[in-house]
Amino acid sequence: MNSTSENITFAAIPQHIAIIMDGNGRWAQARGLPRLAGHRAGTENLRRIIEACVEFGVKVLTIYAFSTENWGRPQDEVSGLMNLFDDVFERELAELNRQGARLIHIGRTEGIRPGMLKKIHNGEQTTRDNQRLTLCVAFNYGGRDEIVHAIQRIAQDKIPSEEITDELVSRYMYTAGLPDPDLVIRTSGELRTSNFLIWQAAYAEWVFPETFWPDFGREHLMEAIHEYGRRERRFGLITTQP
Ligand code: IPE
Ligand code: IPE
Ligand code: MG
């Protein structure tokens, strides 16, 4: 079935798009700017991608904002990023509400400074009834960390081994209740997962546009969705199977 957004027709619209927003540093470097200027441009770009997702009828957008490994970057970059996120969580709240977007955080809460955690919780509370789009922010997130965290909680809950199923494990992930991503986009031409949604993206389609994240706009997103529509998702089966 074709899905139409105002004046564009897509062969299929992914219900859940996940994005590894990569290339901020190289974007800045190419302009002779400090890396942080790239991160700033990256956060500014988010708004137009959220807007486009709402326009195209995407239901869930997950963005990889900061990984558990990113703490290892130089201290000034990490603190610059934290200040930036601090601003964004506060400043973009009204805009999220205007777009009808619900904010969800996935990742470890330990390690996030208390003031920011408060802003995140406040954002989740304020937007919780919005239904047009779920914006899932992977912040202090790592796929392995998420699996370890899930196993710890399964053990704490003393779940008998025969009850530990694929479906149960999904319910112990940070993404509990969300559909798995259909399409994962990694910008900047890097071809790896970097610990992103390694459980949930088992059968996602992946695209790797060369564009650096701050330049990745509505047209690029459209192209990625068109590419998704040209894929045949087989889930291990064969084409002719009913
Ligand atoms: C992605 O851009 C943003 C974060 C990891 C926070 P990078 O900072 O990784 O940009 P490159 O890969 O160095 O260009
Ligand atoms: C992945 O990008 C993390 C985010 C985009 C937040 P990185 O730039 O940290 O990944 P590597 O180091 O190139 O694998
Ligand atoms: Mg990078």
PDB file of all heavy atoms in Angstrom, residues 71 82 105 107-117 120 139-140:
ATOM      1  N   TRP A  71      31.865   9.220  26.748  1.00  0.00           N
ATOM      2  CA  TRP A  71      32.455   9.838  27.946  1.00  0.00           C
ATOM      3  C   TRP A  71      33.982   9.865  27.851  1.00  0.00           C
ATOM      4  O   TRP A  71      34.627  10.671  28.507  1.00  0.00           O
ATOM      5  CB  TRP A  71      32.062   9.073  29.215  1.00  0.00           C
ATOM      6  CG  TRP A  71      30.610   9.127  29.555  1.00  0.00           C
ATOM      7  CD1 TRP A  71      29.705   8.099  29.436  1.00  0.00           C
ATOM      8  CD2 TRP A  71      29.872  10.239  30.069  1.00  0.00           C
ATOM      9  NE1 TRP A  71      28.460   8.515  29.848  1.00  0.00           N
ATOM     10  CE2 TRP A  71      28.531   9.830  30.244  1.00  0.00           C
ATOM     11  CE3 TRP A  71      30.209  11.558  30.402  1.00  0.00           C
ATOM     12  CZ2 TRP A  71      27.535  10.684  30.736  1.00  0.00           C
ATOM     13  CZ3 TRP A  71      29.215  12.402  30.897  1.00  0.00           C
ATOM     14  CH2 TRP A  71      27.904  11.956  31.054  1.00  0.00           C
ATOM     15  N   MET A  82      27.569  18.351  27.149  1.00  0.00           N
ATOM     16  CA  MET A  82      26.584  18.318  28.245  1.00  0.00           C
ATOM     17  C   MET A  82      25.860  19.659  28.355  1.00  0.00           C
ATOM     18  O   MET A  82      24.642  19.712  28.530  1.00  0.00           O
ATOM     19  CB  MET A  82      27.252  17.960  29.579  1.00  0.00           C
ATOM     20  CG  MET A  82      27.744  16.527  29.649  1.00  0.00           C
ATOM     21  SD  MET A  82      26.445  15.340  29.255  1.00  0.00           S
ATOM     22  CE  MET A  82      27.344  14.181  28.232  1.00  0.00           C
ATOM     23  N   HIS A 105      13.382   9.037  27.200  1.00  0.00           N
ATOM     24  CA  HIS A 105      14.841   8.860  27.274  1.00  0.00           C
ATOM     25  C   HIS A 105      15.161   7.373  27.360  1.00  0.00           C
ATOM     26  O   HIS A 105      14.516   6.631  28.103  1.00  0.00           O
ATOM     27  CB  HIS A 105      15.390   9.590  28.513  1.00  0.00           C
ATOM     28  CG  HIS A 105      16.785   9.181  28.861  1.00  0.00           C
ATOM     29  ND1 HIS A 105      17.115   8.500  30.012  1.00  0.00           N
ATOM     30  CD2 HIS A 105      17.948   9.327  28.170  1.00  0.00           C
ATOM     31  CE1 HIS A 105      18.422   8.268  30.021  1.00  0.00           C
ATOM     32  NE2 HIS A 105      18.942   8.753  28.923  1.00  0.00           N
ATOM     33  N   GLY A 107      18.610   4.845  28.020  1.00  0.00           N
ATOM     34  CA  GLY A 107      20.010   4.856  28.420  1.00  0.00           C
ATOM     35  C   GLY A 107      20.100   4.825  29.932  1.00  0.00           C
ATOM     36  O   GLY A 107      19.086   4.843  30.631  1.00  0.00           O
ATOM     37  N   ARG A 108      21.336   4.733  30.424  1.00  0.00           N
ATOM     38  CA  ARG A 108      21.579   4.719  31.867  1.00  0.00           C
ATOM     39  C   ARG A 108      21.275   6.075  32.473  1.00  0.00           C
ATOM     40  O   ARG A 108      21.697   7.088  31.923  1.00  0.00           O
ATOM     41  CB  ARG A 108      23.064   4.464  32.138  1.00  0.00           C
ATOM     42  CG  ARG A 108      23.493   3.047  32.013  1.00  0.00           C
ATOM     43  CD  ARG A 108      23.506   2.322  33.342  1.00  0.00           C
ATOM     44  NE  ARG A 108      23.773   0.915  33.028  1.00  0.00           N
ATOM     45  CZ  ARG A 108      23.740  -0.062  33.902  1.00  0.00           C
ATOM     46  NH1 ARG A 108      23.460   0.182  35.171  1.00  0.00           N
ATOM     47  NH2 ARG A 108      23.982  -1.295  33.536  1.00  0.00           N
ATOM     48  N   THR A 109      20.584   6.102  33.577  1.00  0.00           N
ATOM     49  CA  THR A 109      20.396   7.386  34.255  1.00  0.00           C
ATOM     50  C   THR A 109      21.626   7.683  35.126  1.00  0.00           C
ATOM     51  O   THR A 109      22.004   8.844  35.281  1.00  0.00           O
ATOM     52  CB  THR A 109      19.117   7.378  35.113  1.00  0.00           C
ATOM     53  OG1 THR A 109      19.118   6.183  35.894  1.00  0.00           O
ATOM     54  CG2 THR A 109      17.873   7.416  34.252  1.00  0.00           C
ATOM     55  N   GLU A 110      22.273   6.621  35.659  1.00  0.00           N
ATOM     56  CA  GLU A 110      23.496   6.832  36.448  1.00  0.00           C
ATOM     57  C   GLU A 110      24.536   7.490  35.554  1.00  0.00           C
ATOM     58  O   GLU A 110      24.765   7.041  34.425  1.00  0.00           O
ATOM     59  CB  GLU A 110      24.078   5.494  36.941  1.00  0.00           C
ATOM     60  CG  GLU A 110      23.181   4.725  37.899  1.00  0.00           C
ATOM     61  CD  GLU A 110      22.251   3.746  37.191  1.00  0.00           C
ATOM     62  OE1 GLU A 110      22.008   3.902  35.972  1.00  0.00           O
ATOM     63  OE2 GLU A 110      21.768   2.825  37.865  1.00  0.00           O
ATOM     64  N   GLY A 111      25.166   8.531  36.065  1.00  0.00           N
ATOM     65  CA  GLY A 111      26.203   9.202  35.280  1.00  0.00           C
ATOM     66  C   GLY A 111      25.707  10.496  34.657  1.00  0.00           C
ATOM     67  O   GLY A 111      26.497  11.346  34.277  1.00  0.00           O
ATOM     68  N   ILE A 112      24.379  10.649  34.554  1.00  0.00           N
ATOM     69  CA  ILE A 112      23.837  11.911  34.029  1.00  0.00           C
ATOM     70  C   ILE A 112      23.709  12.873  35.206  1.00  0.00           C
ATOM     71  O   ILE A 112      23.226  12.488  36.279  1.00  0.00           O
ATOM     72  CB  ILE A 112      22.446  11.692  33.383  1.00  0.00           C
ATOM     73  CG1 ILE A 112      22.548  10.682  32.230  1.00  0.00           C
ATOM     74  CG2 ILE A 112      21.857  13.017  32.899  1.00  0.00           C
ATOM     75  CD1 ILE A 112      21.220  10.357  31.552  1.00  0.00           C
ATOM     76  N   ARG A 113      24.169  14.124  35.004  1.00  0.00           N
ATOM     77  CA  ARG A 113      24.134  15.039  36.150  1.00  0.00           C
ATOM     78  C   ARG A 113      22.689  15.346  36.564  1.00  0.00           C
ATOM     79  O   ARG A 113      21.794  15.418  35.708  1.00  0.00           O
ATOM     80  CB  ARG A 113      24.955  16.294  35.883  1.00  0.00           C
ATOM     81  CG  ARG A 113      24.526  17.103  34.684  1.00  0.00           C
ATOM     82  CD  ARG A 113      25.617  18.112  34.326  1.00  0.00           C
ATOM     83  NE  ARG A 113      25.130  19.094  33.385  1.00  0.00           N
ATOM     84  CZ  ARG A 113      25.931  19.874  32.658  1.00  0.00           C
ATOM     85  NH1 ARG A 113      27.244  19.766  32.756  1.00  0.00           N
ATOM     86  NH2 ARG A 113      25.419  20.765  31.833  1.00  0.00           N
ATOM     87  N   PRO A 114      22.473  15.483  37.901  1.00  0.00           N
ATOM     88  CA  PRO A 114      21.110  15.562  38.444  1.00  0.00           C
ATOM     89  C   PRO A 114      20.255  16.649  37.790  1.00  0.00           C
ATOM     90  O   PRO A 114      19.077  16.416  37.499  1.00  0.00           O
ATOM     91  CB  PRO A 114      21.318  15.860  39.926  1.00  0.00           C
ATOM     92  CG  PRO A 114      22.701  15.404  40.227  1.00  0.00           C
ATOM     93  CD  PRO A 114      23.493  15.524  38.967  1.00  0.00           C
ATOM     94  N   GLY A 115      20.821  17.805  37.550  1.00  0.00           N
ATOM     95  CA  GLY A 115      20.048  18.901  36.959  1.00  0.00           C
ATOM     96  C   GLY A 115      19.490  18.522  35.593  1.00  0.00           C
ATOM     97  O   GLY A 115      18.347  18.839  35.260  1.00  0.00           O
ATOM     98  N   MET A 116      20.307  17.815  34.824  1.00  0.00           N
ATOM     99  CA  MET A 116      19.866  17.429  33.486  1.00  0.00           C
ATOM    100  C   MET A 116      18.821  16.323  33.557  1.00  0.00           C
ATOM    101  O   MET A 116      17.837  16.318  32.811  1.00  0.00           O
ATOM    102  CB  MET A 116      21.053  16.979  32.642  1.00  0.00           C
ATOM    103  CG  MET A 116      20.686  16.964  31.167  1.00  0.00           C
ATOM    104  SD  MET A 116      21.921  16.285  30.102  1.00  0.00           S
ATOM    105  CE  MET A 116      23.356  17.187  30.598  1.00  0.00           C
ATOM    106  N   LEU A 117      19.050  15.394  34.483  1.00  0.00           N
ATOM    107  CA  LEU A 117      18.102  14.296  34.660  1.00  0.00           C
ATOM    108  C   LEU A 117      16.715  14.856  34.994  1.00  0.00           C
ATOM    109  O   LEU A 117      15.696  14.378  34.484  1.00  0.00           O
ATOM    110  CB  LEU A 117      18.602  13.402  35.797  1.00  0.00           C
ATOM    111  CG  LEU A 117      18.242  11.931  35.739  1.00  0.00           C
ATOM    112  CD1 LEU A 117      18.551  11.323  34.381  1.00  0.00           C
ATOM    113  CD2 LEU A 117      18.982  11.172  36.837  1.00  0.00           C
ATOM    114  N   ILE A 120      15.148  16.111  31.880  1.00  0.00           N
ATOM    115  CA  ILE A 120      14.686  15.004  31.039  1.00  0.00           C
ATOM    116  C   ILE A 120      13.346  14.475  31.582  1.00  0.00           C
ATOM    117  O   ILE A 120      12.387  14.296  30.831  1.00  0.00           O
ATOM    118  CB  ILE A 120      15.743  13.873  30.970  1.00  0.00           C
ATOM    119  CG1 ILE A 120      17.031  14.373  30.278  1.00  0.00           C
ATOM    120  CG2 ILE A 120      15.191  12.647  30.243  1.00  0.00           C
ATOM    121  CD1 ILE A 120      18.204  13.408  30.337  1.00  0.00           C
ATOM    122  N   PHE A 139      20.577   8.639  25.133  1.00  0.00           N
ATOM    123  CA  PHE A 139      21.546   9.532  25.758  1.00  0.00           C
ATOM    124  C   PHE A 139      22.174   8.798  26.933  1.00  0.00           C
ATOM    125  O   PHE A 139      21.468   8.284  27.792  1.00  0.00           O
ATOM    126  CB  PHE A 139      20.810  10.811  26.219  1.00  0.00           C
ATOM    127  CG  PHE A 139      21.692  11.791  26.928  1.00  0.00           C
ATOM    128  CD1 PHE A 139      22.609  12.553  26.222  1.00  0.00           C
ATOM    129  CD2 PHE A 139      21.619  11.941  28.297  1.00  0.00           C
ATOM    130  CE1 PHE A 139      23.435  13.451  26.874  1.00  0.00           C
ATOM    131  CE2 PHE A 139      22.439  12.838  28.956  1.00  0.00           C
ATOM    132  CZ  PHE A 139      23.347  13.599  28.245  1.00  0.00           C
ATOM    133  N   ASN A 140      23.498   8.738  26.962  1.00  0.00           N
ATOM    134  CA  ASN A 140      24.215   7.841  27.876  1.00  0.00           C
ATOM    135  C   ASN A 140      23.717   6.418  27.612  1.00  0.00           C
ATOM    136  O   ASN A 140      23.415   5.658  28.508  1.00  0.00           O
ATOM    137  CB  ASN A 140      24.002   8.237  29.344  1.00  0.00           C
ATOM    138  CG  ASN A 140      24.991   7.555  30.266  1.00  0.00           C
ATOM    139  OD1 ASN A 140      26.043   7.080  29.822  1.00  0.00           O
ATOM    140  ND2 ASN A 140      24.663   7.464  31.536  1.00  0.00           N
TER     141      ASN A 140
END
